[in-house]
Amino acid sequence: MLKYTISLFFLLTFYAAFAQLGKSAQDTVTYKDRYGLRVGIDVVRPIYSLFSDEKKGFEIVGDYRIAKRLYIATELGYRDQTRQEDFFNFSTKGQYIKIGVDYNAYKNWIGMENMIVVGLRYGFSTFNQTVNEYSINADPFVPVRTETDKTTYDGLNAHWAELVLGLKVEVLHNVFLGVSFRGNTLITSTQPENFKNLYVPGFERVYFNDFGFSFNYTVSYLIPLYRK
Amino acid sequence: MKNIFKFLLFLIIAVTQLGCESDEICLEDITPKLVIRFYNANIPSELKSVALLKVNIGGIDGEYSNETITNLTDSIAIPLQVIENKTRFILTLQGNSNQGTEDNIDTLSVSYVQQDIFVSRSCGYKTVFNEAEASFVKDDDNWIKGLEEKNDPLEIIDENAAHVKIYH
C-alpha cells in the first residue's frame, strides 16, 4: 500500500510541475499600458459664462504619464468674477496656472485606464481687483453713505498649494470624464491697500484663514504616444 | 471596486456642496460712535450722571436711543453722520414737572474729516473721524457748563475710551 502511495505522490509532483511550466509559458504575454498626453477642458465654467455676466471663465487641463501610476498635471485658466457682499461689490479678473503631479490610487483591471486621483499642485495667479461700490457700515440710525467710484488694484499675485482628490473615467475610447475636488491654502499674496484678496482666480473664494475650496468637471482626450 | 468609485463620487459632491461660511458674521469693530462722559462741573475729576437725557441728531427724525442712554448714565455713545462732515447733536435734559423743572436743550456740534477703511468681507468698510472738533452752542441757560476734548487733535477711531468730556 505504502509503495503505491509513494508512486502516486511522485506522479502528482510531476503533474504539478508540468502544470506550473504551462502557466509560466502563458504569462509571457504581458499587457502594455498606453502612455500619452491627455488634454481637456472644464465643462462647467463655459456654461456659467453663457448664462451669467458675473461668473466668467474657462480652464484647460492636461496631464502626461511618466510612470505606471504617476502623471505630471497642469491647469491653465482665466476668471472674471463679480461678487456681491453685504456692504460692497467687487470684481476680480486674472489668469492662473497650476503645476503638479497626479497619483493613480486605483488598481485597474487589465486594459482599463480609470483613475482615482490623488494629486498636489503649486498654483500661481496674477490678477486685478476692482471695488465697484461700497457702503459705510455704521450705526443704522444714521443715513448710509454709498461710494460708487470704482477703485482698481492692479498687479496683484498669489501663490498657493493645492491638494487634489478626483476621478477620471474612460467613457469612450480615449475620452475621459473627470471630476476633482481641491483644498487650497494660500502661501503668499500681494494684498491691495485698503482692501483684501477675497477671491483669487484658480483659488476661488478665500476664506478667513486663507483657506479655500474649488472643483472642476472635465472632459479630456488622450493622445496615445507609445506603449510600455 | 465600483463601490469605491461611487463612494468617492459621493464624497466629492458632498464636500463641494458644503458651504462653511464662518466669515459671514461681522464681528470686528465698525464705524466708531462718539463717546461722551459726563463730569461734575464743580469737581472736574468726578463723574456725574445725567438723568432723563434725550438725544436727537440734526437732520434725522426721531430720538436716538440704545443701551448706552438710560435714565441715569455718566457715559453715552452716539453715532456721527457719515453723509456729511459734521454732526449736530441736540442733547435735551428733560424736565420733571414734580420738581418744577423744564426741558433744557443744548446743542453739541462735531466736525471732522472721514477716512474709509476696509475691515473684512462681512463687515465691509468703516469710516474713522480725523481732525475732529467739538463745540457747544452757548445760550442763556446752558446745562452744559464746559466741554473738553480728550485728545488734541481729536481722532475718533474706536470706542474704547471717551472722546469728549462734558461738565455739567
Side-chain angles (χ1 to χ4, degrees):
Chain A
M1 185 61 200
L2 191 68
K3 200 173 150 192
Y4 285 115
T5 313
I6 288 166
S7 302
L8 203 70
F9 178 69
F10 268 100
L11 193 72
L12 276 172
T13 314
F14 275 115
Y15 188 73
F18 185 74
Q20 203 78 69
L21 217 74
K23 207 178 178 192
S24 69
Q26 261 178 7
D27 266 359
T28 54
V29 181
T30 53
Y31 179 80
K32 287 181 174 171
D33 282 328
R34 290 186 300 167
Y35 281 63
L37 183 71
R38 183 162 40 196
V39 288
I41 57 154
D42 186 330
V43 288
V44 177
R45 294 287 158 182
I47 295 168
Y48 273 143
S49 304
L50 278 179
F51 294 104
S52 164
D53 273 347
E54 303 204 324
K55 280 183 170 183
K56 285 181 181 166
F58 70 84
E59 184 176 274
I60 300 167
V61 299
D63 60 34
Y64 182 76
R65 193 172 188 180
I66 51 168
K68 185 160 174 64
R69 289 179 170 275
L70 218 56
Y71 299 74
I72 291 174
T74 185
E75 286 93 16
L76 288 159
Y78 171 83
R79 291 278 191 278
D80 179 359
Q81 186 124 340
T82 300
R83 289 187 70 103
Q84 178 66 49
E85 300 291 344
D86 288 349
F87 294 96
F88 59 98
N89 175 306
F90 73 104
S91 302
T92 309
K93 207 185 278 190
Q95 48 283 317
Y96 61 90
I97 182 165
K98 303 175 189 180
I99 301 170
V101 287
D102 276 348
Y103 176 79
N104 187 2
Y106 184 64
K107 271 194 174 168
N108 278 299
W109 289 356
I110 281 174
M112 287 171 76
E113 283 169 37
N114 298 325
M115 287 178 80
I116 292 177
V117 180
V118 180
L120 281 171
R121 298 282 188 283
Y122 157 75
F124 174 70
S125 174
T126 59
F127 54 96
N128 66 51
Q129 304 267 20
T130 304
V131 179
N132 301 316
E133 63 167 55
Y134 66 90
S135 300
I136 294 297
N137 188 358
D139 191 285
F141 188 76
V142 296
V144 176
R145 171 160 61 89
T146 303
E147 297 291 336
T148 51
D149 289 341
K150 290 186 180 185
T151 312
T152 301
Y153 305 97
D154 285 314
L156 305 170
N157 63 61
H159 303 256
W160 69 92
E162 198 165 295
L163 181 71
V164 184
L165 287 175
L167 295 174
K168 275 199 178 82
V169 182
E170 190 172 13
V171 286
L172 294 168
H173 186 59
N174 289 349
V175 177
F176 289 78
L177 285 186
V179 54
S180 78
F181 167 72
R182 289 126 191 275
N184 317 324
T185 176
L186 210 56
I187 301 164
T188 62
S189 69
T190 50
Q191 295 288 353
E193 204 176 309
N194 205 25
F195 192 58
K196 208 179 162 217
N197 291 334
L198 299 172
Y199 179 90
V200 171
F203 188 97
E204 309 302 310
R205 183 188 161 127
V206 182
Y207 285 80
F208 68 107
N209 51 0
D210 285 349
F211 205 75
F213 305 102
S214 66
F215 62 90
N216 67 6
Y217 297 99
T218 57
V219 174
S220 43
Y221 185 80
L222 174 71
I223 304 160
L225 299 175
Y226 60 94
R227 281 177 181 272
K228 200 165 110 183
Chain B
M1 270 312 192
K2 218 158 190 167
N3 283 332
I4 294 177
F5 265 123
K6 273 184 190 163
F7 173 72
L8 226 82
L9 198 71
F10 166 76
L11 201 75
I12 286 163
I13 289 165
V15 176
T16 47
Q17 302 309 318
L18 273 179
C20 19
E21 313 273 292
S22 40
D23 51 356
E24 290 277 284
I25 309 151
C26 176
L27 297 171
E28 290 94 341
D29 288 342
I30 58 163
T31 303
K33 297 190 196 97
L34 178 72
V35 179
I36 302 172
R37 286 207 105 177
F38 296 100
Y39 287 83
N40 191 327
N42 301 320
I43 314 158
S45 62
E46 195 183 274
L47 288 164
K48 187 186 171 191
S49 298
V50 281
L52 300 167
L53 184 70
K54 196 171 89 177
V55 179
N56 290 86
I57 297 171
I60 303 170
D61 291 338
E63 190 182 315
Y64 179 75
S65 64
N66 74 2
E67 70 276 12
T68 66
I69 302 164
T70 52
N71 283 342
L72 192 72
T73 184
D74 63 19
S75 161
I76 60 169
I78 46 183
L80 292 154
Q81 291 265 32
V82 292
I83 53 165
E84 49 191 328
N85 284 331
K86 64 170 193 274
T87 308
R88 210 158 45 83
F89 294 107
I90 299 118
L91 305 172
T92 309
L93 205 61
Q94 289 172 291
N96 187 325
S97 55
N98 292 337
Q99 293 171 3
T101 52
E102 287 176 4
D103 284 5
N104 191 337
I105 302 166
D106 275 7
T107 304
L108 174 72
S109 290
V110 186
S111 65
Y112 38 80
V113 175
Q114 295 181 50
Q115 185 194 348
D116 298 348
I117 293 169
F118 181 76
V119 183
S120 67
R121 182 193 295 276
S122 48
C123 296
Y125 287 80
K126 68 176 179 181
T127 192
V128 296
F129 308 95
N130 300 319
E131 300 165 41
E133 275 170 35
S135 62
F136 68 101
V137 182
K138 292 188 174 63
D139 56 29
D140 295 340
D141 181 26
N142 282 109
W143 67 268
I144 298 173
K145 298 285 186 275
L147 183 145
E148 190 187 322
E149 292 171 3
K150 260 284 181 81
N151 299 302
D152 191 37
L154 181 61
E155 286 179 339
I156 303 162
I157 53 170
D158 58 40
E159 296 174 6
N160 298 337
H163 306 117
V164 171
K165 287 178 177 180
I166 284 179
Y167 298 98
H168 70 107

